[in-house]
Amino acid sequence: MDNPAPDQPPSLPGWNFSQVIPIRFRDIDMFNHVNNAAYLTYAESARVAYYGQLTGIADPRDFDMTVARAEVNYLVPIFFGQALHVYTRVTRIGTKSLTMDHEFRDAASHDVLATVSIVIVHYDHHSGQSKPLPAHIIALIEAHEGRSLRA
C-alpha cells in the first residue's frame, strides 16, 4: 500500500475511487458496533461522491437513479473511533441499470470489514418508469474504470 495523505485512502488495484467515511456516534447500536443500517448509508455517501465526481452533476436529485437491490456482507464489526475507507467501483452496466460494488476497509490494518453490492436503476421520477442510461454517462464510467462494463 502507498502512503496517501491522512484524509485519502491508499490506492488498491481495481478500485479507482475511494473516500474516508467517518463513523458517527449515532451509527452505533446497543451492541457498541455500527448498526447494520448505517452500512447502506456509508455506501450511499460513497456512491453519491463517485457519481458526482465522474459526471459533474452536483445535485443527487439530478442523478435520475433509484436503488433496486442492495446486498451487504458484514464480515467484521465496525466500531466507533475506527477510520473507515470505502472503495467504490461500477462492475456492470446494463441498458437501464448498473451495479456498484463497495469494499469497506479498516484504515489502520487495511482489513476488509464489509462488502456491499448495489443495483441502481436509471429512473424517471416524474413518470415512475425506468429509462436507458445515457451513452455519455456510460462512456464516463467506462473511461474511469478503464474497461468495458456492458452486460
Side-chain angles (χ1 to χ4, degrees), residues 64-66 68 92-99 119-123 129-134 138 150:
D64 290 339
M65 300 217 172
T66 193
R92 181 201 60 85
I93 297 176
T95 303
K96 297 179 178 183
S97 67
L98 56 85
T99 302
V119 176
I120 311 225
V121 174
H122 198 235
Y123 191 76
Q129 300 292 316
S130 62
K131 60 184 182 178
L133 286 160
I138 293 170
R150 295 302 303 238

Side-chain angles (χ1 to χ4, degrees), residues 9-140:
S11 61
L12 288 176
W15 299 90
N16 297 327
F17 183 88
S18 58
Q19 73 176 132
V20 175
I21 299 286
I23 306 302
R24 303 169 302 187
F25 179 72
R26 71 173 302 275
D27 297 339
I28 306 305
D29 65 16
M30 63 190 238
F31 302 110
N32 293 322
H33 58 71
V34 171
N35 181 274
N36 62 293
Y39 287 64
L40 291 175
T41 300
Y42 300 158
E44 177 183 57
S45 294
R47 180 172 65 251
V48 167
Y50 173 101
Y51 199 77
Q53 180 178 306
L54 262 64
T55 65
I57 300 171
D59 189 340
R61 291 174 289 197
D62 296 330
F63 289 175
D64 290 339
M65 300 217 172
T66 193
V67 173
R69 181 174 188 275
E71 179 182 321
V72 182
N73 294 304
Y74 305 95
L75 305 174
V76 179
I78 300 171
F79 297 96
F80 182 73
Q82 242 176 319
L84 184 65
H85 294 164
V86 177
Y87 293 84
T88 301
R89 63 183 171 199
V90 172
T91 55
R92 181 201 60 85
I93 297 176
T95 303
K96 297 179 178 183
S97 67
L98 56 85
T99 302
M100 294 187 88
D101 286 350
H102 306 277
E103 195 170 87
F104 297 6
R105 289 182 171 257
D106 179 83
S109 68
H110 307 293
D111 291 340
V112 178
L113 307 174
T115 60
V116 179
S117 183
I118 308 276
V119 176
I120 311 225
V121 174
H122 198 235
Y123 191 76
D124 184 325
H125 293 278
H126 297 295
S127 71
Q129 300 292 316
S130 62
K131 60 184 182 178
L133 286 160
H136 73 282
I137 297 292
I138 293 170
L140 287 171

